[in-house]
Amino acid sequence: MTGLEKILKAIEDEAQARADEIISEANKQAEQILSAARQEGELEAGKIAQKASEEVKSVLSRAESAAVLQERKAILEAKQQIINETIIKARASLSELSDKEYTDILIKLIKRYAHNEVGQIVFSANDKKRLPADFTDRLKQALADKTGAALTLSEKTADINGGFLLVYGDIEENCSFDALFEAAREDL
């Protein structure tokens, strides 16, 4: 091997050593960058997983609230249906009562709703026909314990489906069965 070959070989060996050193350093830096990227990726993945978990909890919570609301709505609808059916049956049972039973109910309602003042009571034409001969006496007896309460039968009739109207001067209180059942529906 000649001197030139030795010099070239030395330069080549030195260049190879330097290249190996640079590659080794580059590999170390690449490994550090990769390690940092992995750590950052894992950190980001953790954040994403946490956020996804929170979103899942939020969605589940909203779904649960919606389900509870739907359940309450279904229960309310069932209750309303039962109330409606009960009111329909109660209305039907009123029309099936005997005249005496019907009059007894009217007397109880009059006693309950009568004011402690003088007034008139107005019935429908059908109800007026159903009243017994002693109705006025029973009415006075029912109102005896209400101080100042006195009702007389009006000659007029009302266009109502059962029940009565109480008239005190310009004030008229609707005690028709339709009005009473509607008020009961609202209370129920």
Side-chain angles (χ1 to χ4, degrees):
M1 202 183 278
T2 65
L4 181 57
E5 288 177 353
K6 285 183 183 179
I7 293 175
L8 286 175
K9 176 76 172 145
I11 291 173
E12 189 180 311
D13 288 345
E14 189 177 315
Q16 185 62 45
R18 181 74 181 129
D20 288 345
E21 191 178 300
I22 289 172
I23 289 172
S24 175
E25 187 63 33
N27 283 336
K28 285 180 186 176
Q29 285 180 354
E31 188 59 41
Q32 289 173 347
I33 291 171
L34 233 124
S35 177
R38 274 192 205 110
Q39 287 177 350
E40 189 175 324
E42 288 173 4
L43 186 63
E44 256 331 285
K47 287 179 185 177
I48 291 170
Q50 178 66 27
K51 187 176 179 181
S53 175
E54 289 170 5
E55 285 182 27
V56 165
K57 286 178 185 175
S58 176
V59 168
L60 287 175
S61 176
R62 286 193 306 268
E64 185 178 326
S65 294
V68 167
L69 185 63
Q70 287 290 67
E71 179 184 21
R72 286 182 185 164
K73 184 178 176 184
I75 290 170
L76 180 61
E77 286 174 1
K79 286 180 179 180
Q80 287 174 338
Q81 180 65 31
I82 291 168
I83 290 168
N84 288 338
E85 289 172 5
T86 303
I87 288 174
I88 289 168
K89 287 177 185 176
R91 279 184 175 173
S93 70
L94 282 173
S95 64
E96 296 169 1
L97 293 175
S98 69
D99 287 350
K100 182 193 178 322
E101 293 170 318
Y102 189 78
T103 303
D104 290 344
I105 288 175
L106 289 176
I107 292 288
K108 286 179 187 175
L109 288 172
I110 292 168
K111 186 174 181 175
R112 179 176 179 186
Y113 290 104
H115 298 213
N116 291 340
E117 57 185 299
V118 176
Q120 287 190 330
I121 186 165
V122 182
F123 289 102
S124 69
N126 287 341
D127 282 358
K128 204 167 189 181
K129 291 175 190 173
R130 290 181 79 173
L131 296 178
D134 67 341
F135 182 78
T136 306
D137 295 334
R138 289 182 63 194
L139 180 61
K140 286 180 185 176
Q141 185 180 12
L143 297 176
D145 62 339
K146 287 190 114 174
T147 308
L151 292 171
T152 57
L153 288 176
S154 174
E155 294 299 320
K156 298 178 186 175
T157 59
D159 186 21
I160 56 175
N161 188 15
F164 51 89
L165 303 176
L166 295 175
V167 181
Y168 298 99
D170 292 337
I171 299 171
E172 188 176 281
E173 187 171 347
N174 187 351
C175 296
S176 68
F177 290 145
D178 289 340
L180 296 175
F181 278 119
E182 193 56 39
R185 179 191 316 272
E186 291 303 316
D187 288 343
L188 292 174

